Structure formats: structure tokens, C-alpha cells
Amino acid sequence: MGRFLWAVVTAPTTGTEDDARYEIGRLADKIEDEVPEELRDRAWGLVLKALYEVPREIEELVEEHREFDGEGG
């Protein structure tokens, strides 16, 4: 099994833009409702830290797809 296919098969999840927007809204609600005000900046910092990794992961996904299709890089 190729690396790209393996990555797709073992990917933790798939989703749509609407799914992502829903999750961000859910996190915003959770932070607003459950996190003490003095900790909210830190909570949003955790969200940002996770989001900073997304572009790199997308680039890797695209590159693996190119290699799988034999397009090179």
C-alpha cells in the first residue's frame, strides 16, 4: 500500500468546511461558557497552536498525493 493511500486510510477524520466552522463555533461557545475569564486568552492560545499546524499538514497531504500520482514535486 502506498504512503498516500496509507495516510488516507489511517487519517483520523474527514470533514467539510461546514464541519470545521461548526467545531470552531463549538469551541468558542465552550470557552465562553466554561473557561474562567482570566484563562480565556490561554484557551484561545491552545486553539491557535493547533491551527498553526494545519497548513503544514495540508502541504504534506498534497505532496503525498502528488507523489502517489507520480507527479513529483
Side-chain angles (χ1 to χ4, degrees), residues 33-52:
D33 295 342
E34 299 178 23
V35 176
E37 189 171 344
E38 61 273 13
L39 296 176
R40 289 183 186 160
D41 286 346
R42 290 181 66 191
W44 279 113
L46 292 171
V47 172
L48 285 173
K49 182 179 176 182
L51 288 173
Y52 290 147

Side-chain angles (χ1 to χ4, degrees), residues 3 19 32:
R3 286 189 314 158
D19 295 335
E32 179 70 27

Side-chain angles (χ1 to χ4, degrees), residues 11 26 60 69:
R26 191 182 66 76
E60 288 176 6
D69 279 351

Side-chain angles (χ1 to χ4, degrees), residues 18-69:
D18 288 339
D19 295 335
R21 289 179 189 277
Y22 171 80
E23 282 303 312
I24 291 171
R26 191 182 66 76
L27 284 171
D29 290 344
K30 184 175 187 72
I31 290 170
E32 179 70 27
D33 295 342
E34 299 178 23
V35 176
E37 189 171 344
E38 61 273 13
L39 296 176
R40 289 183 186 160
D41 286 346
R42 290 181 66 191
W44 279 113
L46 292 171
V47 172
L48 285 173
K49 182 179 176 182
L51 288 173
Y52 290 147
E53 291 296 315
V54 172
R56 180 187 55 77
E57 292 176 10
I58 291 172
E59 288 172 10
E60 288 176 6
L61 181 67
V62 170
E63 182 60 32
E64 289 172 358
H65 177 70
R66 284 185 185 137
E67 290 173 5
F68 182 73
D69 279 351

